[in-house]
Amino acid sequence: MSLRENLAANLRRLCKDHASVSAVCRELHINRTQFERYLQGQTVPNKATAKLICDYFRINEAELYQYPDAPEPAASGLPPISEALFKQMIRPPSPSIAGGTYFTYFSIPTRPDLLMRSVTFVRRDVELVTFRRVTGWSERRGATWARARGNHYGVAIARLNWIYFSGINRRQTGEPSLISVQWAPISEPVLTGKAMLLTETGPAFVPVIMRQDVANIPPRQAIKMAHVIRLDDPGVDPLVVSLARDGLG
């Protein structure tokens, strides 16, 4: 395969983990028509654009142009610390949470009348539980909590009756996030706890509520719902409103 074909195959694979090619182009501030030329193997980006793409997907330039089926480089000697930490994180027990779509609600400091609603896609693969959480995808520029927009990927682990969602933002900010929740002692299945996330003034710890979507909302529609909402909005889950007002998040 040529360099352009390698680039095209790698970009198509990387884009599969995102909402759409259009969303990637918006995040990168790259013209969609030009990006399509990369995807079709018609041309390659200049150095500046290649760096922008690599920073966004968190890869190096060699990975961007390598043969798509190239094996991962083998590490000699002791295993990398990242591998050791990952194996320690995902050891049993597995989190007691089903795969599916979950709406995740964050309290907003100084604004008790508002919640930030994110959408979390949970995937179970035997004992490994991974997730993707989209936050504020449809927020208008300059709107409340707009700087908290995120596209977090990570793993969920269980320790001492708590479920921890540990992730990294795939946006250029690259900040980590941590959510710790447990099943609330009520009849309805809902998770409550605390979250560490980025606000306009820096990292903050805020109450969080997670509720599984039982209406089978399509993923793209769920992502469009990931934005700031008002507690008095009649369309918001009444249980979430009640928990938020009672401070049980």
Side-chain angles (χ1 to χ4, degrees):
M1 296 177 70
S2 68
L3 201 64
R4 289 181 298 179
E5 291 172 325
N6 289 353
L7 169 72
N10 289 325
L11 277 181
R12 288 195 295 268
R13 172 179 53 80
L14 291 166
C15 287
K16 285 181 180 179
D17 288 335
H18 294 260
S20 65
V21 172
S22 295
V24 171
C25 291
R26 285 196 299 270
E27 293 290 306
L28 284 168
H29 301 291
I30 293 179
N31 179 272
R32 171 65 187 267
T33 301
Q34 181 61 34
F35 196 78
E36 281 291 343
R37 296 184 67 197
Y38 305 149
L39 290 174
Q40 299 302 321
Q42 297 174 0
T43 186
V44 297
N46 59 33
K47 280 285 185 182
T49 303
K51 184 178 185 308
L52 187 68
I53 293 172
C54 289
D55 288 346
Y56 177 77
F57 288 114
R58 306 191 71 78
I59 60 175
N60 57 48
E61 192 169 350
E63 292 175 279
L64 185 63
Y65 293 109
Q66 73 181 4
Y67 186 74
D69 294 328
E72 294 292 329
S76 59
L78 295 174
I81 189 171
S82 57
E83 181 181 345
L85 287 173
F86 183 73
K87 288 182 177 179
Q88 177 69 13
M89 286 180 64
I90 64 172
R91 64 178 173 82
S94 177
S96 60
I97 185 170
T101 301
Y102 291 76
F103 286 107
T104 308
Y105 301 85
F106 302 98
S107 296
I108 298 179
T110 74
R111 292 300 304 270
D113 58 322
L114 302 177
L115 289 175
M116 163 55 78
R117 179 170 57 198
S118 300
V119 58
T120 303
F121 302 103
V122 176
R123 178 179 177 180
R124 294 196 69 99
D125 186 5
V126 191
E127 291 299 311
L128 178 63
V129 179
T130 58
F131 73 92
R132 177 193 177 200
R133 188 177 71 252
V134 179
T135 304
W137 197 273
S138 57
E139 280 293 280
R140 300 185 305 276
R141 187 178 297 276
T144 300
W145 212 252
R147 287 184 58 188
R149 292 185 301 170
N151 192 20
H152 289 256
Y153 287 77
V155 296
I157 63 174
R159 297 292 185 273
L160 300 175
N161 297 321
W162 288 85
I163 300 176
Y164 295 87
F165 290 84
S166 179
I168 293 290
N169 198 348
R170 291 287 294 271
R171 288 170 58 86
Q172 288 178 316
T173 49
E175 84 279 358
S177 65
L178 179 64
I179 294 177
S180 55
V181 291
Q182 58 183 180
W183 294 105
I186 58 177
S187 59
E188 292 288 338
V190 60
L191 291 155
T192 61
K194 298 290 184 181
M196 184 200 77
L197 42 79
L198 184 66
T199 72
E200 294 182 355
T201 57
F205 290 90
V206 300
V208 62
I209 301 167
M210 291 185 68
R211 179 95 153 132
Q212 186 170 17
D213 166 42
V214 295
N216 295 318
I217 298 173
R220 289 182 182 273
Q221 180 60 33
I223 289 175
K224 290 181 180 179
M225 297 169 64
H227 52 72
V228 172
I229 57 174
R230 299 187 62 87
L231 282 179
D232 58 5
D233 185 333
V236 179
D237 188 330
L239 177 59
V240 170
V241 173
S242 176
L243 290 171
R245 286 178 172 163
D246 290 343
L248 298 181

